[in-house]
Amino acid sequence: MIREAMQKDCENLAALSIQVWLDTYATQGVNTAISQYALSTSTHNHFSDLLKQPAINTFIYEEDDHLVGFVTINLASRFNDNDAFGYEIATLYVSRDFQGKGIGRTLLDHVSRLYGRDYWLSVWVQNQGALQFYARLGLLEVGKTQFELDGEAHQNLILSPTAAK
């Protein structure tokens, strides 16, 4: 079941966010920078603040009253100030045990029905599972960016279905 996230979901969003983020990015274990980032951005207060922002919407996917995935979109964010790429898929997280079951696609289809298919997102170049998933959906590379963590730059690709038009 997909529904819009509410304040009562913030703790579960934070916990799932930590789980997926560490599974994805802490591939060589954790260090202080990774721990500090995960514990500072995956909090109840962080998600509570996000849910209060009018340009940001979060939708959750539940199975048997358990949060297993979510998508957060930012309607105000533009890639390179170019409206052609539409809004940003800021986060698409699905719990590892539920990946490969169509949940990510279902969440993206849901936001596409609500806001259109003109969106963009960024993916870490070493996140092969996500890159393969987005390739199956027909997203193409439209640019590059970097995510900085503790002074270290991590290459990300910008993907969009708009480039396929």
Side-chain angles (χ1 to χ4, degrees):
M1 172 181 126
I2 297 176
R3 64 173 173 80
E4 194 162 353
M6 299 180 280
Q7 288 294 324
K8 71 176 187 166
D9 299 311
C10 290
E11 287 181 4
N12 290 336
L13 287 164
L16 182 62
S17 182
I18 287 173
Q19 178 191 58
V20 173
W21 200 88
L22 291 175
D23 280 349
T24 303
Y25 300 106
T27 58
Q28 297 176 344
V30 295
N31 61 27
T32 301
I34 289 172
S35 297
Q36 286 176 344
Y37 182 84
L39 294 173
S40 67
T41 60
S42 298
T43 66
H44 178 280
N45 288 343
H46 170 79
F47 284 99
S48 179
D49 291 344
L50 278 180
L51 294 179
K52 294 174 186 172
Q53 295 182 36
I56 297 178
N57 295 319
T58 298
F59 297 92
I60 65 171
Y61 190 104
E62 292 178 310
E63 281 194 8
D64 299 322
D65 294 322
H66 290 85
L67 176 64
V68 298
F70 72 92
V71 62
T72 298
I73 64 168
N74 184 338
L75 297 169
S77 179
R78 297 288 180 261
F79 172 60
N80 284 345
D81 293 322
N82 186 341
D83 287 338
F85 294 111
Y87 60 95
E88 178 184 11
I89 304 289
T91 309
L92 176 60
Y93 282 174
V94 175
S95 179
R96 177 181 43 204
D97 292 336
F98 291 87
Q99 292 175 6
K101 297 181 179 186
I103 294 169
R105 178 187 296 263
T106 300
L107 285 163
L108 285 177
D109 287 347
H110 181 77
V111 297
S112 292
R113 280 191 301 278
L114 293 174
Y115 303 103
R117 191 156 155 77
D118 291 337
Y119 60 80
W120 64 276
L121 51 86
S122 66
V123 180
W124 181 38
V125 295
Q126 294 186 37
N127 187 348
Q128 291 302 310
L131 290 171
Q132 291 168 1
F133 168 72
Y134 292 124
R136 285 192 304 273
L137 296 180
L139 276 68
L140 297 176
E141 181 182 334
V142 296
K144 295 180 179 170
T145 191
Q146 293 186 8
F147 173 78
E148 189 173 313
L149 181 63
D150 197 35
E152 187 177 324
H154 302 272
Q155 185 77 32
N156 284 333
L157 301 179
I158 304 297
L159 306 177
S160 176
T162 303
K165 288 182 177 179

